[in-house]
Amino acid sequence: MQEKKNIKFLSGNEACGEGAIVAGCRFFGGYPISPSSEIAEFMSKRLPLVGGTFIQMEDEIASIGAILGASLAGVKSMTATSGPGLSLMQENIGFGAMAEIPTVIVDVMRGGPSTGNPTGPSQSDVMAIRWGTHGDYPAVALCPESVNEVFLLTIEAFNIAEFLRTPVVLAMDEITAHMREKVELLKESDVKIVNRKKPEKMPYLPYEYGEDLIPPLPGYGEGFRFHVTGLNHDKTGFPTNKSELMEEGNRRIMEKLDKNKDKVIKHEEFMTEDCDILVVAYGSSARAAKRAVRTAREKGIKAGLFRPITLYPLSEKALQKAAGKAKKVIVPEMNLGQYILIVERVIGHGFPIIGINQVDGEPISPSKILSKIEE
Amino acid sequence: MAVNYFNYLRKEKMPHIWCAGCGHGMIVKSIIRAIDKLGWKNDEIALVSGIGCSSRTPGYLDFHTLHTTHGRALAFATGIKLAKPNLKVIVVGGDGDMMAIGGNHFIHACRRNIDMKLIVYNNNIYGMTGGQASPTTLTDAKATTAPYGFLEEPFDVCNMAIASGATFVGRALDLDVPLMDRVILESFKHKGFSVVDAWSQCPTYFGRFNKWGSASEMMERYKQIIYNIRQKDQLSEEEKKGKYPVGILHQIERNEFCERYQKLRDTLKGKEEAE
């Protein structure tokens, strides 16, 4: 007998919590901030029921510190925040990248800069997610367009973090966070769950890596004593200021993402095979874009949509291919032109790349995108 | 039996970077003696630090060690302890780490009463960055960012800890090793969040700028501004004025967070299905 599907009507923030629990998250440290707070509320209720731990920290700096600590102790961890909190977390996101600690940071984007617009949708953190911490680091960010996808991508965010041994950002916006939609809740046994690679034998060097460039990571207290620092370090984990070792370490954390990016990258294409006009959109803006593309097709205009699901890394080859025959590329974003910079870099400047930019706290409408398509 | 320090030290990391006359090594030895006395195993200890001279400690000790970002040791340690409550979590940091950049984490750690052991290596100065004034620099003392003397009032680490709700608070100086041993050992035995304000002298910067002389001369100076808490009732208010008590200053029993949380989990058992 086929088991009945577990369909629920949830907000994106609730779906994110459900996804985290399925992924194996058993520690949440966070600080209230709109429009992400329902994730913390969900986790505070659910985690003690499944043997996990929730703690409300004193600020976002403490929150990211706590989740990195919990992960080093071997427990999958997560925090959720919004722009101002993301700004506060930046230093320790870099620590997580440098020390190679898997964790998930949910950023429910709101308008910025500063306090901005706490209750309206925005995509204002797209560059902060990529370049926010100082130094070069392997940014990974996923961007869902629907509540069901929030559930699935939260699980995926944990899987990537565990696989690559690095912090991963789930970039939602106020619409995907607060909108209620149908979600099919899958059980742990129905989805792929990735757990970090652990060392098999002593002596163990915490930053010794194999072909995939990803070193194994045991939890504190599991018999492998090791040192972790945010300083440049060698394979032993202890600080080094030897030029060649600093160069190697800094390059490797970038190369491990590059080398494994095909296992990470996700994107969606909609009617791109023959498109004259390509729309590149992500998150809730992509839903408006999809509607606009469909209407354009009904009117006989060959429009298509490319939706990066992993904002970082982006499937550059696929984007180049999708833009191959296009005469015009349109990038709608709820910011003043952030991801368009990446699109321009990837597909070049040979033809018009036009931004649709809106920072009024309202979503971009399909008709606005359609009129740009028709222009 | 004599303590074999090398059971706890990463021999290959010696010699340490601390200057001649610095008291930090004395504090580390007291920590080791307390661990040895309690029979804690290296593999069950997580030692977490921030950034600064004190925060080189984790590199030298053969435990699970974490050298975090400046001021954030308690935040990371909170995650470790809550994720694995069986680990003994020791946190070390300097006066800058704990009283300035990490001040918010400090007061909230005191309030939460998670079973972690904090030792503040307090030398009234930022040593690693070259002798700048810190929140515990004494008023009128000189530092590279207080060339005309420090115009502010210093924090009293212990008063701050007590006011914030720490359940064990003590102070000891490296010049009195038996007292340092006793205060650190008792703090480790305590169930709950403990704070030890461990004074150490910095002859390289503080001593030099303030013409306080060598390490031993500095210790003589510090002796003038302390009194043992056991003499609290014998000394007049006048005699105690402007002086810092040393010893175990505060110890109370209060619910420990990890235990409370486990109790919550136990109470909720079986409730998920019912929901």
Side-chain angles (χ1 to χ4, degrees):
Chain A
M1 202 183 82
Q2 208 178 353
E3 216 178 318
K4 212 178 134 200
K5 281 183 178 176
N6 186 11
I7 308 282
K8 288 263 162 72
F9 189 60
L10 298 177
S11 73
N13 281 345
E14 289 166 336
C16 175
E18 295 282 4
I21 299 292
V22 172
C25 173
R26 291 298 178 267
F27 184 89
F28 184 100
Y31 188 80
I33 184 167
S34 301
S36 78
S37 303
E38 295 85 2
I39 301 174
E41 290 167 0
F42 179 97
M43 296 305 269
S44 71
K45 194 173 176 194
R46 186 63 70 83
L47 276 171
L49 290 166
V50 295
T53 312
F54 168 88
I55 187 153
Q56 183 168 323
M57 295 303 289
E58 52 273 19
D59 56 33
E60 287 88 347
I61 302 174
S63 303
I64 177 98
I67 63 168
L68 290 170
S71 182
L72 276 175
V75 173
K76 288 186 190 177
S77 63
M78 177 171 96
T79 190
T81 189
S82 187
L86 183 77
S87 293
L88 286 175
M89 288 181 188
Q90 291 292 1
E91 183 193 11
N92 281 331
I93 291 176
F95 187 91
M98 184 63 148
E100 299 180 74
I101 306 172
T103 197
V104 173
I105 300 135
V106 182
D107 175 32
V108 183
M109 292 182 278
R110 63 192 241 185
S114 187
T115 317
N117 174 18
T119 53
S122 165
Q123 296 176 317
S124 68
D125 303 349
V126 168
M127 278 294 151
I129 288 164
R130 176 61 192 88
W131 300 106
T133 200
H134 59 284
D136 298 299
Y137 70 110
V140 181
L142 298 141
C143 187
E145 64 159 9
S146 69
V147 175
N148 197 61
E149 202 176 50
V150 167
F151 174 76
L152 294 172
L153 290 189
T154 304
I155 299 170
E156 190 62 29
F158 276 95
N159 286 348
I160 296 171
E162 292 286 312
F163 164 59
L164 283 177
R165 206 185 142 170
T166 201
V168 170
V169 174
L170 181 74
M172 293 160 62
D173 60 57
E174 194 273 338
I175 298 174
T176 43
H178 284 157
M179 173 174 60
R180 285 187 177 271
E181 282 188 302
K182 196 173 82 170
V183 183
E184 185 188 350
L185 292 182
L186 301 169
K187 289 201 300 273
E188 200 188 317
S189 51
D190 298 332
V191 292
K192 187 178 133 199
I193 303 288
V194 177
N195 293 310
R196 66 193 68 171
K197 191 166 60 182
K198 299 215 170 182
E200 280 154 14
K201 56 180 194 306
M202 296 282 235
Y204 161 68
L205 295 177
Y207 295 93
E208 190 168 52
Y209 51 89
E211 230 170 81
D212 64 2
L213 306 182
I214 307 162
L217 176 66
Y220 278 176
E222 291 173 5
F224 298 89
R225 287 196 298 280
F226 59 103
H227 184 63
V228 175
T229 177
L231 288 164
N232 274 108
H233 46 268
D234 60 20
K235 285 175 188 175
T236 65
F238 289 97
T240 181
N241 52 15
K242 285 197 182 110
S243 305
E244 66 276 17
L245 293 177
M246 290 198 290
E247 176 97 8
E248 183 194 333
N250 283 334
R251 283 187 183 280
R252 182 183 56 78
I253 59 169
M254 299 298 282
E255 282 163 8
K256 78 173 170 185
L257 174 57
D258 199 50
K259 183 154 193 179
N260 296 289
K261 68 180 176 204
D262 291 341
K263 293 179 187 153
V264 171
I265 284 171
K266 270 187 178 347
H267 78 281
E268 182 198 351
E269 288 185 48
F270 179 68
M271 298 188 162
T272 52
E273 312 77 35
D274 60 342
C275 69
D276 293 331
I277 297 161
L278 180 71
V279 184
V280 181
Y282 53 92
S284 57
S285 301
R287 290 178 75 157
K290 204 178 273 178
R291 171 74 182 277
V293 165
R294 207 176 273 134
T295 314
R297 286 275 172 174
E298 282 162 14
K299 292 183 172 187
I301 306 168
K302 286 185 181 172
L305 169 70
F306 184 96
R307 178 170 75 94
I309 296 172
T310 47
L311 295 177
Y312 313 109
L314 164 67
S315 177
E316 300 192 0
K317 273 186 202 144
L319 177 59
Q320 282 161 354
K321 190 162 166 264
K325 287 177 211 147
K327 297 181 184 74
K328 179 164 86 176
V329 173
I330 298 167
V331 187
E333 307 180 78
M334 288 185 277
N335 58 47
L336 292 179
Q338 296 189 18
Y339 206 70
I340 194 172
L341 301 171
I342 291 164
V343 175
E344 285 171 348
R345 178 180 62 74
V346 171
I347 63 180
H349 297 268
F351 50 94
I353 301 175
I354 304 152
I356 299 175
N357 305 103
Q358 198 173 311
V359 286
D360 63 351
E362 295 293 331
I364 299 172
S365 67
S367 59
K368 194 168 182 177
I369 300 171
L370 182 64
S371 62
K372 253 314 172 246
I373 292 174
E374 288 176 320
E375 238 171 47
Chain B
M1 220 175 80
V3 176
N4 183 358
Y5 293 94
F6 285 116
N7 287 343
Y8 305 97
L9 288 169
R10 288 171 170 142
K11 243 182 284 187
E12 69 281 11
K13 297 295 162 195
M14 297 292 129
H16 59 68
I17 62 153
W18 295 316
C19 306
C22 169
H24 286 12
M26 306 289 280
I27 301 171
V28 171
K29 285 181 83 176
S30 271
I31 293 173
I32 292 176
R33 282 191 292 270
I35 289 169
D36 191 76
K37 204 157 208 171
L38 293 168
W40 289 0
K41 303 276 170 294
N42 296 38
D43 200 46
E44 61 180 0
I45 302 168
L47 183 88
V48 186
S49 80
I51 295 286
C53 292
S54 64
S55 294
R56 288 309 175 107
T57 305
Y60 303 137
L61 290 170
D62 187 18
F63 308 135
H64 302 282
T65 52
L66 176 58
H67 178 225
T68 72
T69 43
H70 192 31
R72 315 303 172 199
L74 283 166
F76 281 75
T78 298
I80 294 171
K81 181 68 184 176
L82 298 189
K84 276 224 176 102
N86 292 339
L87 286 172
K88 319 272 188 205
V89 178
I90 302 169
V91 184
V92 300
D95 35 305
D97 245 335
M98 292 300 155
M99 290 292 104
I101 189 166
N104 197 26
H105 310 310
F106 177 88
I107 58 175
H108 287 275
C110 292
R111 177 179 66 81
R112 286 193 189 103
N113 199 34
I114 297 171
D115 189 21
M116 303 192 290
K117 316 293 155 208
L118 171 64
I119 295 158
V120 184
Y121 296 29
N122 185 355
N123 57 6
N124 327 104
I125 203 120
Y126 286 85
M128 186 67 85
T129 45
Q132 295 80 16
S134 94
T136 64
T137 295
L138 301 171
T139 306
D140 296 328
K142 289 196 170 75
T144 51
T145 49
Y148 310 110
F150 190 54
L151 302 182
E152 303 170 25
E153 293 295 319
F155 267 140
D156 178 322
V157 175
C158 294
N159 284 349
M160 186 87 146
I162 295 166
S164 308
T167 49
F168 181 104
V169 179
R171 179 182 287 123
L173 280 64
D174 60 346
L175 62 87
D176 185 347
V177 173
L179 181 71
M180 179 78 83
D181 275 5
R182 186 166 69 84
V183 172
I184 290 182
L185 177 67
E186 291 306 314
S187 83
F188 283 12
K189 282 189 197 165
H190 177 77
K191 182 88 189 168
F193 188 69
S194 67
V195 178
V196 174
D197 180 17
W199 284 17
S200 161
Q201 62 288 330
C202 177
T204 303
Y205 292 114
F206 194 90
R208 197 153 48 89
F209 296 151
N210 290 289
K211 302 196 165 49
W212 277 25
S214 66
S216 55
E217 285 167 313
M218 286 186 79
M219 286 178 177
E220 286 302 323
R221 294 263 193 165
Y222 282 124
K223 258 192 204 169
Q224 307 307 312
I225 55 166
I226 58 162
Y227 67 93
N228 195 304
I229 191 68
R230 286 177 171 160
Q231 295 166 325
K232 164 173 78 123
D233 297 328
Q234 285 93 58
L235 296 170
S236 69
E237 287 308 310
E238 194 54 37
E239 286 169 306
K240 287 186 281 191
K241 203 177 162 198
K243 291 187 177 176
Y244 293 80
V246 297
I248 295 167
L249 308 183
H250 176 78
Q251 187 168 19
I252 56 165
E253 255 183 65
R254 194 151 60 79
N255 282 326
E256 194 275 327
F257 183 88
C258 296
E259 287 185 355
R260 268 191 165 183
Y261 208 90
Q262 187 50 47
K263 230 178 248 172
L264 170 69
R265 290 191 201 104
D266 294 342
T267 320
L268 293 171
K269 234 172 216 154
K271 292 243 168 102
E272 194 188 14
E273 293 78 20
E275 210 184 344

